[in-house]
């Protein structure tokens, strides 16, 4: 089976165009990634055609391969991956089956034939589903910083918090200035006819940001009002796409997108990436009244061929070097609050003071019900 190996990832990185929290691959590079993942939905883990499993060398270092399964926005600097390989003795192989929602679905579907050794990118809107299905093995990392303890899932050490970010709507300042229309400020504004056909979001059934945004509306409008709100958005020309990359890089009028929608679902940190060197204003902005706090986790996959390698990779993600690398690479906040952030983040990438919240127990109990109701009302 084909695997998206580190050398191929390096080629992708050198030829890719970065977007906030995600990377939009060029056509040729996208073809490479497609070929790397084509023809199979699982990666061999020591069986015929798969990669060799990890083991411990005579000096105590690991050997063999650690297979890392991520969502399609994972990025850590190449030199840090190389340092991990040199220090640990493992060779890193990466694969990305899709957005965060697709990642969880694939991990569940392949539980009897694991995709790899460790997964990164399961967020707090999908975490309970993965835990309920027994996808991850227990592991409490000794590298977990004190500031991350608030994000540990109660009653389980199978998922380790790595980073946080606020999912919220972004606007294209230039588009609104040229159109002579005031920018929206909150959820309710988007129902106004002047914003008809201007909003693009992602599907909560296929996208973790999409589900986070659905949860934001549940938190904002309550059980009796959230679905009616979405029906109003649909009547006002809402566009729904499967994943973040399509929304931000294709349909959005701002950033590198060439679309006709100046309001897009993204992250509060996205505008910081859009600020060019020497610029003092961001061309896009986040609507901080529309945010949901997203926590992304990593976990050792149950039944992994190389669980020790998976544990080592989680410790690596929590290292000071990687935590400091996360903001510029993935445009989310590290869970280690002692890490120095880029200067531009203070002005252009704030976290929301009061993000919308939904009780984790309610998410666990009603997530599927909410997605089904949303699909019937919005997609039909």
């Amino acid at each position: 089976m084909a695997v998206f190996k580190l050398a191929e990832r390096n080629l992708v990185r050198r030829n890719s165009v970065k977007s906030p929290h995600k990377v939009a691959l060029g056509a040729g590079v996208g073809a490479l990634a497609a070929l790397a993942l084509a023809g199979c939905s699982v990666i061999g883990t020591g069986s015929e055609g798969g990669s060799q499993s990890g083991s411990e060398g005579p000096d105590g270092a690991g050997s063999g391969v650690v297979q890392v399964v991520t969502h399609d926005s994972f990025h850590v600097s190449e030199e840090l991956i190389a340092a991990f390989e040199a220090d640990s003795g493992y060779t890193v192989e990466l694969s990305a089956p899709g957005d965060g929602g697709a990642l969880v679905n694939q991990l569940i579907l392949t539980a009897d034939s694991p995709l790899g050794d460790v997964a990164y990118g399961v967020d707090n809107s999908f975490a309970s589903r993965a835990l309920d299905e027994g996808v991850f093995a227990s592991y409490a990392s000794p590298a977990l910083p004190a500031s991350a303890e608030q994000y540990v899932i109660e009653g389980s050490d199978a998922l380790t918090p790595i980073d946080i970010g606020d999912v919220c709507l972004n606007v294209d300042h230039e588009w609104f200035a040229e159109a002579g229309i005031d920018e929206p400020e909150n959820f309710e504004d988007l129902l106004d006819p002047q914003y008809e056909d201007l909003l693009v979001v992602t599907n909560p059934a296929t996208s973790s940001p999409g589900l986070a945004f659905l949860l934001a509306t549940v938190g904002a409008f309550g059980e009796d009002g959230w679905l009616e709100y979405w029906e109003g958005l649909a009547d006002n020309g809402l566009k729904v796409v499967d994943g973040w990359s399509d929304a931000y890089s294709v349909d959005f009028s701002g950033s590198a997108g060439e679309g006709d929608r100046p309001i897009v679902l993204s992250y509060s940190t996205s505008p910081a990436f859009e600020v060019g060197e020497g610029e003092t204003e961001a061309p896009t902005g986040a609507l901080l009244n529309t945010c949901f706090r997203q926590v992304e986790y990593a976990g050792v996959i149950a039944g992994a061929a190389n669980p020790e390698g998976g544990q080592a990779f989680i410790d690596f993600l929590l290292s000071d070097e990687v935590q400091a690398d996360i903001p510029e690479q993935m445009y989310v906040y590290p869970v280690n609050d002692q890490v120095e952030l880029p200067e531009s983040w203070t002005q252009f990438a704030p976290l929301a003071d009061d993000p919308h919240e939904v009780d984790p127990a309610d998410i666990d109990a009603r997530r599927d019900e909410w997605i089904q109701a949303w699909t019937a009302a919005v997609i039909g």
Side-chain angles (χ1 to χ4, degrees):
M1 289 186 181
V3 180
F4 192 11
K5 293 187 173 71
L6 182 60
E8 295 166 327
R9 188 183 80 96
N10 291 345
L11 178 61
V12 170
R13 290 296 308 281
R14 286 194 294 270
N15 291 279
S16 64
V17 179
K18 255 176 74 173
S19 291
H21 191 65
K22 303 280 176 175
V23 170
L25 302 181
V29 178
L32 170 63
L35 286 172
L37 295 173
C40 60
S41 61
V42 297
I43 299 170
T45 54
S47 59
E48 183 178 355
S51 303
Q52 85 179 80
S53 61
S55 59
E56 187 171 296
D59 59 356
S63 63
V65 169
V66 55
Q67 295 178 324
V68 182
V69 189
T70 76
H71 58 41
D72 55 12
S73 64
F74 173 77
H75 282 280
V76 170
S77 293
E78 295 169 13
E79 58 267 26
L80 292 180
I81 293 286
F84 169 76
E85 291 182 316
D87 292 343
S88 69
Y90 295 116
T91 298
V92 174
E93 289 182 354
L94 300 171
S95 64
D99 206 336
L103 169 65
V104 172
N105 289 337
Q106 284 297 306
L107 290 171
I108 292 172
L109 290 172
T110 60
D112 292 334
S113 182
L115 283 171
D117 302 308
V118 59
Y120 159 82
V122 177
D123 83 337
N124 50 322
S125 61
F126 283 103
S128 61
R129 174 182 292 174
L131 293 176
D132 289 346
E133 294 290 338
V135 167
F136 294 105
S138 177
Y139 177 61
S141 174
L144 188 73
S147 58
E149 292 177 359
Q150 62 184 307
Y151 304 116
V152 173
I153 298 172
E154 185 176 357
S156 175
D157 60 3
L159 285 173
T160 302
I162 304 298
D163 57 69
I164 62 174
D166 283 344
V167 175
C168 48
L169 296 177
N170 281 212
V171 296
D172 177 0
H173 292 319
E174 182 178 358
W175 188 98
F176 281 100
E178 292 180 352
I181 300 174
D182 291 336
E183 295 178 1
E185 296 182 0
N186 52 45
F187 286 124
E188 290 84 357
D189 286 351
L190 297 171
L191 300 178
D192 192 303
Q194 69 177 328
Y195 302 114
E196 184 177 5
D197 297 332
L198 301 187
L199 172 62
V200 57
V201 302
T202 53
N203 191 324
T206 58
S207 161
S208 58
L211 179 54
F213 189 62
L214 184 155
L215 295 174
T217 63
V218 173
F221 296 102
E223 180 59 30
D224 296 331
W226 74 270
L227 191 57
E228 181 180 355
Y229 174 73
W230 278 98
E231 292 170 343
L233 289 180
D235 290 341
N236 209 30
L238 171 72
K239 183 173 184 178
V240 178
V241 297
D242 284 342
W244 180 94
S245 295
D246 284 338
Y248 200 89
S249 301
V250 177
D251 293 292
F252 186 39
S253 62
S255 186
E258 297 181 357
D260 58 0
R261 303 253 166 174
I263 312 171
V264 65
L265 180 62
S266 194
Y267 294 81
S268 69
T269 52
S270 299
F273 179 82
E274 305 297 344
V275 180
E277 186 174 355
E279 295 179 350
T280 59
E281 295 184 0
T284 64
L287 304 185
L288 297 182
N289 292 323
T290 67
C291 296
F292 180 85
R293 182 68 44 84
Q294 190 178 46
V295 183
E296 291 186 307
Y297 297 90
V300 177
I301 300 174
N306 183 9
E308 295 84 5
Q311 293 173 4
F313 196 81
I314 290 176
D315 295 345
F316 165 68
L317 292 177
L318 290 173
S319 67
D320 289 346
E321 293 79 10
V322 174
Q323 288 285 294
D325 192 55
I326 281 174
E328 293 283 15
Q329 292 296 321
M330 294 192 283
Y331 270 75
V332 288
Y333 279 78
V335 291
N336 187 343
D337 64 5
Q338 299 303 302
V339 168
E340 184 176 356
L341 297 172
E343 291 183 8
S344 62
W345 281 43
T346 302
Q347 183 175 359
F348 301 116
L351 287 168
D353 291 332
D354 189 23
H356 297 285
E357 298 180 351
V358 179
D359 189 298
D362 289 339
I363 297 176
D364 187 26
R366 308 197 64 182
R367 177 185 50 243
D368 293 342
E369 173 191 339
W370 288 337
I371 291 175
Q372 291 171 6
W374 179 93
T375 301
V378 177
I379 304 299

